[in-house]
Amino acid sequence: RPPPISRPDSDFEAQLGVQFVEGREGILITELNELFEKVGFPRRDPDRLRVALENTYHIIWVRAARQSRLARQIIGFARATSDGVLSATVWDVAVNPGWQRSGLGRALMERLTKKLVEDGIPTITLYAEPQVVGLYEKLGYVRDPDGIRGMAFQRRKKEKASLLTRA
Amino acid sequence: MSSPLLRNIPQKCVTSHCLGSPPLLCPMLLARGRVTGRFQIRHDTGGVRCRGFLGGLFGRGGTTTKQSQKPSLEDNLGPDVDELLLVETSQPDGSKAQILYRNGGPVAAADLESLCVKVGWPARPVSKVEAALRNSFMVSSLVLRVTLPPRPGSSESTTTTDGEAVVSEQLIGLARATSDHAFNATIWDVLVDPEFQGQGLGKALVEQMVRSLLRKDISNITLFADSKVVDFYRQMGFEADPEGIKGMFWYPKF
């Protein structure tokens, strides 16, 4: 039932020198914000970002496996909020542009989805930008199943781009 | 304005919009001669014309402020209160039936599940529902409360702030939201008891929840809507597929 892990952790360690880490320990908020900026997400207020991570159900991120000056850099990131039993939503899936097209995005999503499925959460959702809908469909995500539409409350007073967050 | 009824109406009520139809539920009509201080209507219905008492006095629109575009819930966040009176009917004997919006406050999982069964949703294990409620960032409910005036010499165990005796409270609607407490929220399980549908209560419930979330600075409020209710949410200010962003489900069972 959970998605198969198409490439094991050892593969990524051997071929890219990166490892997957679970949980927020070791994440520097400033570095996370830098990653977000690189992929075109809004920079977030650091204190609020800290609160968001503290209230996130599961986090998986990617860092260099070996100690080096790049060791602490966050190469990839994904998180999911949830009530722990019935539903979950994936947010902020990001891979450093320099590391994209090497399977890290898919790998992050496989591992995050697997964790949610194994925890028994039946409804796992996300909001996908048009260009990544296909990627998620390959993983087993279905868009607008049965005509169900994802909707967001439209804010008027602030820049839309700075508020809209998605996977 | 010399109407005695108008003198008693708090300023907030004058600028809000009438519920419109059905006229039976117009709080102004219901409260004729008995307007209480905390009687607030929370309903921004945008294009709905106020056909009630206030509409006649202030002209079409029922509002004294000029608005060049459709008002958003953002424009009127309302006070930071956890309980709002939405509808009230009084009987000559002094008993009252009230429908309240309540934010937070205990919701029994069993009551919620009974409601789910009533609207025809598949049943879920009560223990899971219990955990889901506990782990939700916000749980908003609609409660039908019946009260009696206090009887001299009696010691009712539960009273309202007005000293009325609470005879019963029944869960007739619910919405809950999960959130990271900072940026995003997703609204789930929006439901209204079928016996009470068609009165604008679902709209009031969701609007109040959105206001509550906005007051907590949650800027991205999302949900997944059945095709039949997309327009319902659109009217409140939700947009489907904003910027082409698609909602997706992992191997949905439906």
Side-chain angles (χ1 to χ4, degrees):
Chain A
R1 267 229 43 177
I5 302 298
S6 53
R7 270 173 76 191
D9 289 9
S10 51
D11 240 32
F12 284 97
E13 176 136 6
Q15 291 171 27
L16 295 176
V18 300
Q19 63 188 194
F20 295 92
V21 185
E22 297 190 9
R24 64 181 191 272
E25 200 184 305
I27 293 179
L28 284 182
I29 298 294
T30 45
E31 288 193 7
L32 187 56
N33 257 333
E34 274 171 30
L35 172 63
F36 286 166
E37 198 170 19
K38 287 194 177 102
V39 300
F41 289 178
R43 278 185 89 92
R44 312 283 174 72
D45 173 84
D47 292 328
R48 284 188 81 84
L49 186 48
R50 191 167 297 114
V51 169
L53 295 187
E54 282 164 9
N55 292 287
T56 291
Y57 181 73
H58 198 63
I59 295 170
I60 303 187
W61 54 291
V62 183
R63 69 171 172 212
R66 291 240 209 93
Q67 289 296 321
S68 71
R69 69 186 158 78
L70 293 174
R72 305 276 320 242
Q73 201 182 69
I74 305 172
I75 295 166
F77 178 89
R79 68 185 178 104
T81 51
S82 175
D83 51 34
V85 283
L86 293 178
S87 62
T89 308
V90 177
W91 304 101
D92 297 337
V93 180
V95 175
N96 185 310
W99 291 82
Q100 285 177 12
R101 311 211 76 87
S102 53
L104 284 173
R106 185 187 172 114
L108 276 166
M109 281 303 295
E110 282 176 355
R111 284 155 177 78
L112 183 56
T113 306
K114 180 171 187 279
K115 161 74 177 160
L116 297 170
V117 172
E118 284 173 350
D119 281 358
I121 297 166
T123 301
I124 302 168
T125 62
L126 55 83
Y127 296 91
E129 285 183 57
Q131 66 267 27
V132 291
V133 168
L135 162 70
Y136 295 131
E137 279 176 336
K138 281 203 200 96
L139 284 169
Y141 284 87
V142 177
R143 97 180 112 113
D144 298 350
D146 225 33
I148 294 175
R149 308 282 294 283
M151 304 185 83
F153 184 75
Q154 292 310 294
R155 305 299 304 275
R156 205 178 49 224
K157 293 179 181 174
K158 296 182 185 176
E159 294 289 329
K160 271 191 194 179
S162 71
L163 294 179
L164 206 56
T165 61
R166 58 300 200 210
Chain B
M1 298 296 164
S2 56
S3 155
L5 182 62
L6 196 57
R7 269 204 298 277
N8 293 331
I9 297 174
Q11 193 57 32
K12 286 185 193 108
C13 289
V14 167
T15 57
S16 64
H17 293 195
C18 178
L19 278 169
S21 65
L24 261 179
L25 285 172
C26 173
M28 289 297 126
L29 296 175
L30 294 170
R32 190 175 295 138
R34 280 211 66 205
V35 180
T36 61
R38 57 186 166 83
F39 197 46
Q40 304 167 59
I41 311 160
R42 288 292 169 207
H43 234 309
D44 285 320
T45 49
V48 172
R49 297 301 195 187
C50 181
R51 293 190 289 274
F53 173 73
L54 292 176
L57 284 170
F58 291 94
R60 293 287 158 216
T63 176
T64 56
T65 58
K66 249 197 178 161
Q67 285 168 351
S68 52
Q69 55 188 125
K70 182 180 168 177
S72 157
L73 294 174
E74 247 187 298
D75 299 324
N76 180 14
L77 292 187
D80 204 0
V81 292
D82 290 328
E83 197 169 278
L84 276 178
L85 178 62
L86 295 178
V87 184
E88 180 175 272
T89 58
S90 314
Q91 299 299 324
D93 66 359
S95 67
K96 277 195 230 171
Q98 302 172 322
I99 297 180
L100 309 159
Y101 164 84
R102 190 177 280 159
N103 187 12
V107 170
D111 290 344
L112 171 54
E113 270 311 285
S114 306
L115 209 50
C116 288
V117 167
K118 259 186 151 180
V119 303
W121 289 1
R124 299 173 298 192
V126 172
S127 58
K128 280 206 165 191
V129 172
E130 218 159 48
L133 287 170
R134 218 183 317 122
N135 295 323
S136 293
F137 175 62
M138 190 177 288
V139 177
S140 299
S141 49
L142 293 175
V143 174
L144 174 68
R145 181 162 77 187
V146 176
T147 64
L148 288 173
R151 286 194 189 79
S154 70
S155 51
E156 308 288 348
S157 53
T158 319
T159 56
T160 65
T161 49
D162 284 348
E164 283 144 351
V166 176
V167 172
S168 67
E169 282 199 356
Q170 180 191 341
L171 182 72
I172 60 168
L174 186 123
R176 67 182 181 96
T178 50
S179 172
D180 56 19
H181 300 210
F183 305 117
N184 309 303
T186 308
I187 299 177
W188 304 98
D189 296 347
V190 179
L191 73 170
V192 174
D193 188 317
E195 287 178 52
F196 294 88
Q197 286 179 11
Q199 301 177 10
L201 289 172
K203 185 161 189 250
L205 175 62
V206 176
E207 282 184 342
Q208 288 314 321
M209 174 166 246
V210 168
R211 282 203 176 94
S212 300
L213 289 167
L214 291 172
R215 284 199 300 268
K216 290 191 193 292
D217 286 325
I218 305 297
S219 50
N220 190 32
I221 301 168
T222 65
L223 52 85
F224 294 93
D226 279 346
S227 51
K228 287 195 283 275
V229 293
V230 167
D231 280 334
F232 168 76
Y233 290 111
R234 209 173 257 142
Q235 277 162 32
M236 275 185 268
F238 284 85
E239 188 185 325
D241 307 343
E243 293 174 23
I245 291 171
K246 304 296 297 177
M248 303 184 81
F249 284 69
W250 196 79
Y251 281 120
K253 293 184 190 70
F254 36 80

